């Protein structure tokens, strides 16, 4: 089968198109023929020797990618049978091996894809959607609460806005002017232009803030919380100044790291089927273009959700 393998070459990890045997499945796994996959920022960080690199480096062949949507062609699990259309974030944290025509996936990391959504939409609704969902669930966001989403037009932020709205929250978010209309159409109640306005000066009394920027922005997000407010921050490696600030202010603040969960994917499937969430796909590529996609990521010329379509 076709796969993109990461190999050390000339002092850095490089991607190569290779022909690998189809993976064998173990008990509890299914073999998925991949129809679409999504590329996340963590994929590129892992290629650069950061992200999940330490977790996968001793498990060759190294195959990047975690988000897939496809069809079960072989099953060693009771939950799914051959022919089922599924989607999910596979083995995260860990070795997802998603840049391949076939992926051996634990059944407990998958959900059935709603028939009303395409494989591309489903693949775009995994890691970033799970992150938003797991943050909102951890913070136990309730109807009527005031939710603040930093980077509301970003991959995680865009899902967080839609999910908070689906729960009945009042949603405030920061984004560029060009994203205001789309965000409002997907449920944002109050838009703050981060290019012209300091959010701390214009919003207060927030019950839950999702920080997608880290560093000073995470600290500032604490300043807009109610005394009972909660902060969840997701960027890693941006310092932990927010911890001390939360302690001084007596506020609940946590870092969240997303993890694979079929149960949570089922919630995303229900949201998708009801039209409550949708990914914001910025770029669509073919499998053979994956290496170029990473070259563009390296050059910083690609942003937004990237989905790769595999030919049947
Ligand atoms: N802990 C976890 O499990 C986990 C999971 C997923 C992601 N992450 C991390 O979380 C972060 C966000 O991920 P993502 O995929 O959502 O990234 P993303 O798609 O790049 O979103 C970031 C958003 O922040 C916006 N932004 C940039 N500067 C800003 C500012 N000064 N004020 C307000 N907004 C600003 C960007 O706006 P523009 O669109 O206008 O440029 C962009 O929309 C990344 O660091 C990622 O690595 C962590």
């Amino acid at each position: 089968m076709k796969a993109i393998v990461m190999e050390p070459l000339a002092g850095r990890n490089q991607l190569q198109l290779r022909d690998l045997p189809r993976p064998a499945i173990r008990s509890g796994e299914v073999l998925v023929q991949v129809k679409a996959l999504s590329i996340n920022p963590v994929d590129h960080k892992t290629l650069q020797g950061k992200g999940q690199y330490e977790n996968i480096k001793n498990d060759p062949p190294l195959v990047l990618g975690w988000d897939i949507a496809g069809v079960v062609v072989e099953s060693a699990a009771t939950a799914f049978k051959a022919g089922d259309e599924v989607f999910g974030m596979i083995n995260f944290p860990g070795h997802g091996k998603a840049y391949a025509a076939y992926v051996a996936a634990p059944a407990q990391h998958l959900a059935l894809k709603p028939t009303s959504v395409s494989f591309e939409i489903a693949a775009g609704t995994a890691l970033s959607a799970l992150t938003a969902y797991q943050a909102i669930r951890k913070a136990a966001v309730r109807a009527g609460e005031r939710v603040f989403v930093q980077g509301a037009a970003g991959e995680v932020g865009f899902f967080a806005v839609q999910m908070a709205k689906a729960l009945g929250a009042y949603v405030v978010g920061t984004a560029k002017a060009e994203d205001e209309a789309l965000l409002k159409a997907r449920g944002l109640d109050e838009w703050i232009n981060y290019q012209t306005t300091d959010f701390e000066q214009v919003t207060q009394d927030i019950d839950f803030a999702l920080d997608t920027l880290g560093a000073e922005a995470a600290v500032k997000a604490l300043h807009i919380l109610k005394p009972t407010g909660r902060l969840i921050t997701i960027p890693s490696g941006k310092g932990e100044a927010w911890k001390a600030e939360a302690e001084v202010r007596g506020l609940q603040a946590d870092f969240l790291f997303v993890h694979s969960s079929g149960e949570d994917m089922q919630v995303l499937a229900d949201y998708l089927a009801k039209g409550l969430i949708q990914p914001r796909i910025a770029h669509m590529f073919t499998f053979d273009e994956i290496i170029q996609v990473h070259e563009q990521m390296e050059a910083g010329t690609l942003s937004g959700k990237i989905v790769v379509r595999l030919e049947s």
Side-chain angles (χ1 to χ4, degrees):
M1 66 165 189
K2 271 206 296 201
I4 307 277
V5 175
M6 176 168 88
E7 289 167 350
L9 205 70
R12 66 187 183 98
N13 290 323
Q14 300 207 23
L15 298 176
Q16 315 280 341
L17 182 62
R18 291 264 186 270
D19 191 22
L20 293 184
R22 280 189 195 183
I25 52 170
R26 293 178 296 199
S27 174
E29 291 185 335
V30 295
L31 187 66
V32 180
Q33 181 183 13
V34 180
K35 297 287 184 181
L37 62 94
S38 167
I39 297 179
N40 290 291
V42 69
D43 301 25
H44 197 67
K45 285 181 191 164
T46 304
L47 179 64
Q48 292 171 323
K50 299 177 281 183
Q52 286 297 301
Y53 186 69
E54 285 303 312
N55 274 341
I56 72 170
K57 67 177 186 188
N58 297 321
D59 180 28
L62 306 186
V63 180
L64 289 176
W66 286 271
D67 287 356
I68 60 163
V71 180
V72 173
V73 291
E74 205 183 314
S75 176
T78 49
F80 302 106
K81 59 182 186 322
D84 284 347
E85 296 183 348
V86 293
F87 72 126
M89 177 183 78
I90 311 308
N91 288 323
F92 193 90
H95 202 170
K97 305 185 188 181
Y99 291 4
Y102 293 86
V103 171
Q108 57 185 9
H109 295 173
L110 296 168
L112 284 175
K113 176 185 80 60
T115 49
S116 57
V117 306
S118 66
F119 288 108
E120 291 81 6
I121 295 284
T125 310
L127 188 146
S128 47
L130 275 178
T131 307
Y133 175 68
Q134 289 173 2
I136 282 174
R137 187 189 47 200
K138 185 177 171 116
V141 172
R142 295 180 293 274
E145 287 197 315
R146 285 170 59 79
V147 168
F148 173 77
V149 180
Q150 181 75 274
E155 296 194 33
V156 177
F158 192 59
F159 281 114
V161 167
Q162 298 174 81
M163 289 173 191
K165 192 67 191 177
L167 287 170
Y170 180 87
V171 191
V172 182
T174 58
K176 285 198 285 243
E178 65 206 56
D179 293 321
E180 179 192 2
L182 173 67
L183 284 165
K184 287 194 167 160
R186 296 307 304 168
L188 189 74
D189 294 292
E190 210 174 303
W191 161 68
I192 300 170
N193 184 342
Y194 76 77
Q195 292 180 312
T196 57
T197 310
D198 178 357
F199 69 88
E200 210 185 329
Q201 303 304 318
V202 295
T203 194
Q204 283 296 326
D205 295 326
I206 295 295
D207 294 288
F208 168 59
L210 177 65
D211 166 59
T212 62
L213 295 181
E216 185 55 22
V219 174
K220 278 165 62 98
L222 290 163
H223 300 168
I224 62 169
L225 293 184
K226 287 178 180 170
T228 52
R230 296 88 76 197
L231 170 85
I232 287 186
T233 179
I234 55 166
S236 43
K238 301 267 175 87
E240 295 194 330
W242 55 272
K243 263 192 187 169
E245 184 74 4
E247 211 168 294
V248 167
R249 291 176 176 253
L251 291 165
Q252 190 186 321
D254 287 297
F255 172 77
L256 176 125
F257 198 66
V258 66
H259 60 272
S260 294
S261 163
E263 244 174 75
D264 294 351
M265 287 306 303
Q266 187 53 56
V267 177
L268 301 186
D270 294 343
Y271 277 149
L272 277 173
K274 289 179 184 147
L276 294 171
I277 59 168
Q278 61 183 42
R280 186 185 181 192
I281 297 176
H283 308 278
M284 195 77 84
F285 291 97
T286 63
F287 192 81
D288 293 348
E289 291 173 319
I290 288 180
I291 296 173
Q292 286 162 254
V293 169
H294 279 277
E295 284 165 5
Q296 291 181 49
M297 289 172 98
E298 186 70 29
T301 52
L302 260 193
S303 64
K305 181 146 286 304
I306 300 162
V307 169
V308 173
R309 186 184 283 142
L310 281 82
E311 61 279 11
S312 18

